Amino acid sequence: MAEPVTAQALRERVDGFLAGHDPAGDRLEFLRARFDAGLAWVHYPVGLGGLGAPRVLQPVVDQRFAAAGAPDNSPRRIGIGLGMAAPTILRHGTAAQRARFLRPLWTAEEVWCQLFSEPGAGSDLAGVATRAVRDGDGWLIDGQKVWTSMAHQARWGILLARTDPAVPKHAGLTYFLCDMHAPGVQVRPLRQATGEAEFNEVFLSGVRLGDELRLGAVGEGWAVARTTLMNERVAIGGAALPREGGMIGVLARTWRERPELRTTALHDEVLRLWVRAEALRLTGIRLRQQLAAGEPGPEGSAMKLAFAALTQQISGREVELLGAEGLRHDHWRADRPEELDLIGRGPTYRWLRAKGNSIEGGTSEVLRNIVAERVLGLPAEPRQDTGAAWKELPR
């Protein structure tokens, strides 16, 4: 039996790696070598970027590399791949799929997007209408996806499609890895309230995907998608942050540096938000420690729910604190950013962009149901569509 990996053993392994690989050298070669050495995701299996170590030891590795000035893998640019595609491929993919996709995903050679939401299937994701029909040894995909982050940069997409409309909606779904460069894939920008076109709508017209790009069994797409969704909510709401990391840090700095803006009422509110942000940060640490024992559970939905409400309240208080100054937006250009940067933008941008936090990654209304039913054990809402064939449901 192999010896358990310790924090000290990881530090020594990183130091040995750095002795043989110059952090100031070729960025891609360095990242590829780090993956091959098992120092990408330390909790992943050996040969797939990891060492089979406890998940809680990942910060030991990341901090050691950061202290040495090593290049990162642009995590904000490839967040969908890191937080959603990778754990889903690891859990449900074949050996060939894991070997093909995980390394270029982690090194940021291939960007991923999420082809889940549709104009008629957002909160009710199991109601997707995009069809996948057998075509010889592959599949033909037709449909439309919407609110697709990074589709304009993506090489691959995780795709949920309907393969059997004659069974109940959850049973007729299959999960695919979609080639975003395949003929028939069209990406169009969607301009938001912020002025940017961060999101996209994606049209799929006769897109042919080989069966080797199917993830999981036919008809079991909902089970695969749940792995994605649980990891997505942890990635959004449970990100690792230092104290005063994220948006609360911006508000706290403004409060300290601009005493002329302070009022008694806002003092109480800022302090209350600071405490909530710290409580959420510590809860996130606890959740990530629990993940060492298995897959994310419904607790990640509670984290994401709390995160959405908190970011909206923090951004609102920042605008209120700054007064008229807080309403001055930096620009309204229809930029198509490569990554989401809340901290590097102005207060109006943060306030507008935070409105999407209660929609993306599962609406707050849906997440409240998940927490109520799966965490608190309350009775489920009455549902009329669980036993009927999807094709018979009104749309």
Side-chain angles (χ1 to χ4, degrees), residues 247 250-251 254 311 314-330 342-354:
M247 290 175 65
V250 178
L251 178 59
T254 301
T311 56
I314 291 173
S315 62
R317 290 299 173 264
E318 182 188 13
V319 170
E320 183 180 354
L321 176 64
L322 291 168
E325 180 185 339
L327 298 177
R328 187 172 62 243
H329 196 14
D330 46 9
L342 286 173
I343 308 305
R345 297 291 300 275
T348 304
Y349 175 87
R350 281 189 283 274
W351 181 73
L352 290 169
R353 181 59 182 81

Side-chain angles (χ1 to χ4, degrees), residues 21-351:
H21 300 84
D22 183 4
D26 184 87
R27 178 179 181 274
L28 185 55
E29 288 184 7
F30 185 92
L31 292 174
R32 286 173 173 171
R34 178 177 167 180
F35 182 94
D36 294 342
L39 297 171
W41 299 290
V42 296
H43 60 288
Y44 273 38
V46 174
L48 296 177
L51 299 168
R55 184 191 294 256
V56 294
L57 295 181
Q58 184 67 45
V60 173
V61 171
D62 293 340
Q63 291 164 11
R64 204 74 166 182
F65 276 113
D72 66 21
N73 58 350
S74 303
R76 291 192 300 188
R77 183 169 181 257
I78 61 171
I80 293 173
L82 293 175
M84 302 178 216
T88 308
I89 292 170
L90 180 67
R91 173 75 182 275
H92 299 279
T94 63
Q97 289 170 336
R98 296 184 192 124
R100 163 61 185 86
F101 291 111
L102 290 179
R103 188 176 189 248
L105 183 158
W106 189 86
T107 60
E109 293 172 76
E110 294 179 341
V111 177
W112 287 70
C113 67
Q114 182 187 26
L115 300 168
F116 275 26
S117 295
E118 298 181 6
S123 297
D124 181 19
L125 179 60
V128 297
T130 293
R131 288 295 311 276
V133 179
R134 281 278 193 184
D135 179 51
D137 59 352
W139 300 83
L140 286 178
I141 314 294
D142 289 277
Q144 179 186 357
K145 300 293 182 176
V146 74
W147 307 120
T148 310
S149 301
M150 298 305 296
H152 57 293
Q153 297 283 334
R155 177 64 181 82
W156 294 95
I158 45 178
L159 168 68
L160 192 62
R162 187 161 305 281
T163 47
D164 189 351
V167 298
K169 59 184 182 180
H170 291 84
L173 300 171
T174 302
Y175 198 112
F176 297 91
L177 308 178
C178 180
D179 181 355
M180 296 298 290
H181 292 179
V185 177
Q186 184 181 24
V187 179
R188 299 180 188 173
L190 283 174
R191 194 170 186 186
Q192 302 151 240
T194 61
E196 288 185 340
E198 174 194 339
F199 296 107
N200 306 270
E201 53 184 346
V202 179
F203 294 87
L204 306 160
S205 303
V207 177
R208 193 178 195 284
L209 300 178
D211 195 53
E212 72 278 3
L213 294 177
R214 173 173 49 81
L215 195 65
V218 175
E220 295 184 5
W222 185 249
V224 183
R226 284 186 62 183
T227 298
T228 302
L229 294 172
M230 294 299 102
N231 281 282
E232 177 184 22
R233 289 158 190 168
V234 171
I236 293 175
L241 293 172
R243 176 171 287 185
E244 290 196 5
M247 290 175 65
I248 192 61
V250 178
L251 178 59
R253 284 193 298 273
T254 301
W255 180 267
R256 295 188 182 108
E257 296 169 2
R258 301 286 300 276
E260 75 279 6
L261 301 175
R262 301 173 189 169
T263 67
T264 301
L266 279 175
H267 177 272
D268 291 345
E269 186 61 20
V270 170
L271 183 58
R272 187 177 296 111
L273 291 173
W274 192 97
V275 171
R276 287 182 57 195
E278 181 65 5
L280 186 64
R281 185 184 74 86
L282 295 174
T283 303
I285 294 174
R286 179 183 178 188
L287 177 61
R288 288 190 298 278
Q289 291 173 340
Q290 291 174 336
L291 289 180
E295 292 292 314
E299 296 83 3
S301 297
M303 284 290 299
K304 193 270 176 181
L305 177 64
F307 164 82
L310 184 61
T311 56
Q312 291 173 356
Q313 291 164 7
I314 291 173
S315 62
R317 290 299 173 264
E318 182 188 13
V319 170
E320 183 180 354
L321 176 64
L322 291 168
E325 180 185 339
L327 298 177
R328 187 172 62 243
H329 196 14
D330 46 9
H331 69 77
W332 291 100
R333 296 190 306 268
D335 292 347
R336 306 196 75 190
E338 292 189 1
E339 59 184 37
L340 176 62
D341 181 16
L342 286 173
I343 308 305
R345 297 291 300 275
T348 304
Y349 175 87
R350 281 189 283 274
W351 181 73

